[in-house]
Amino acid sequence: MAAGIWAAATLVAAPAAHPPIPDESLDYSINWPSGLSLGEAHWKAHNAGTAQAPVWDFGFDLDAHVPAYGLTDSYHSKASASYCTEKLTKEMQHGSKQTGEAETVDSKTLTATRTPLTGDGVSSFTVTDCMHDALAYLFFARRELVSGRIPAPQTILFGAKYDVKLTALGSQKIRAGDKSYDTDKYGCHVQGPASSLDLEIYFARDAARTPVLVRIPMAMGAFSVELEH
């Protein structure tokens, strides 16, 4: 259950001709179905290049606790002006277990190489041209929505390869944090090698299509990742 929440939380760009989204830093709360806080998450996007030649650094960090079990995850992505993944780094501590890996994409050979941050076990697999990891996909999807398009179904990178499809579910006014937002609601189906996940994402109807709420249905109810500020 917990792994699904963290993968989905991460889950929520357009052609390079569109103006890039400005740097941003967003804070989220992770909540139990009852509304009680489970933890917090922080999203950052930074253009390390120039306005004419962006080089994007994305980051998503979360710190959450369930009874007798803590989770501290950190994900960082480097992507091109068109949000094509160049490198994704994952560092995770679930309870007493620490894991991590780096995935580097070679755009010439269309190969991704997965390297554990500790120990052996390097492996490689093929990827599509301009493949997005989960973080870069968030920007890609938002840029498509800004341009009036729903992103086409595609495969993204997040350790393994996952198929993702967004479906429009109408508009809705919601509250997140202490604010009210006019949003567009989308269903997001994620299919992995051994599991699938369906969640709801609410994007604000602002110039950046800011993700303000993600609901992750589970057997015990819908967990939420909610924009604080």
Side-chain angles (χ1 to χ4, degrees):
M1 180 198 73
I5 295 175
W6 317 136
T10 66
L11 286 165
V12 166
H18 288 274
I21 299 173
D23 289 6
E24 65 181 5
S25 180
L26 303 172
D27 298 322
Y28 293 84
S29 62
I30 305 172
N31 302 320
W32 289 96
S34 65
L36 294 176
S37 176
L38 176 62
E40 59 187 29
H42 307 279
W43 161 267
K44 290 186 179 180
H46 171 62
N47 177 10
T50 66
Q52 294 72 32
V55 176
W56 285 101
D57 289 325
F58 302 123
F60 186 79
D61 301 296
L62 67 88
D63 187 5
H65 298 271
V66 297
Y69 193 81
L71 299 100
T72 303
D73 290 2
S74 182
Y75 309 101
H76 292 90
S77 167
K78 181 179 180 181
S80 69
S82 296
Y83 313 106
C84 310
T85 296
E86 297 177 357
K87 185 175 183 179
L88 172 67
T89 303
K90 303 163 57 181
E91 298 179 76
M92 298 156 287
Q93 180 165 345
H94 295 179
S96 60
K97 183 180 180 180
Q98 288 183 312
T99 59
E101 64 182 28
E103 296 174 334
T104 304
V105 176
D106 187 327
S107 60
K108 295 181 179 179
T109 63
L110 297 183
T111 301
T113 300
R114 181 190 300 157
T115 306
L117 297 185
T118 58
D120 301 322
V122 175
S123 60
S124 298
F125 52 93
T126 60
V127 295
T128 57
D129 186 32
C130 192
M131 193 166 194
H132 309 294
D133 63 79
L135 277 65
Y137 174 75
L138 176 62
F139 257 42
F140 168 80
R142 290 165 65 187
R143 287 288 81 194
E144 289 291 279
L145 295 176
V146 166
S147 300
R149 298 185 294 268
I150 298 176
Q154 63 185 266
T155 301
I156 66 171
L157 183 66
F158 196 68
K161 293 189 285 189
Y162 293 82
D163 294 328
V164 178
K165 180 181 179 180
L166 283 183
T167 304
L169 299 176
S171 301
Q172 188 172 333
K173 187 179 232 20
I174 65 168
R175 289 195 66 82
D178 58 357
K179 295 183 179 180
S180 179
Y181 297 89
D182 291 317
T183 70
D184 291 319
K185 176 182 176 182
Y186 288 84
C188 181
H189 178 72
V190 183
Q191 180 67 55
S195 62
S196 64
L197 184 68
D198 288 285
L199 53 143
E200 298 173 352
I201 307 176
Y202 297 76
F203 293 97
R205 304 182 78 179
D206 57 14
R209 295 301 189 271
T210 304
V212 298
L213 178 67
V214 180
R215 287 201 176 110
I216 306 103
M218 295 291 180
M220 65 182 66
F223 288 77
S224 64
V225 181
E226 182 176 322
L227 180 66
E228 290 295 319
H229 49 269

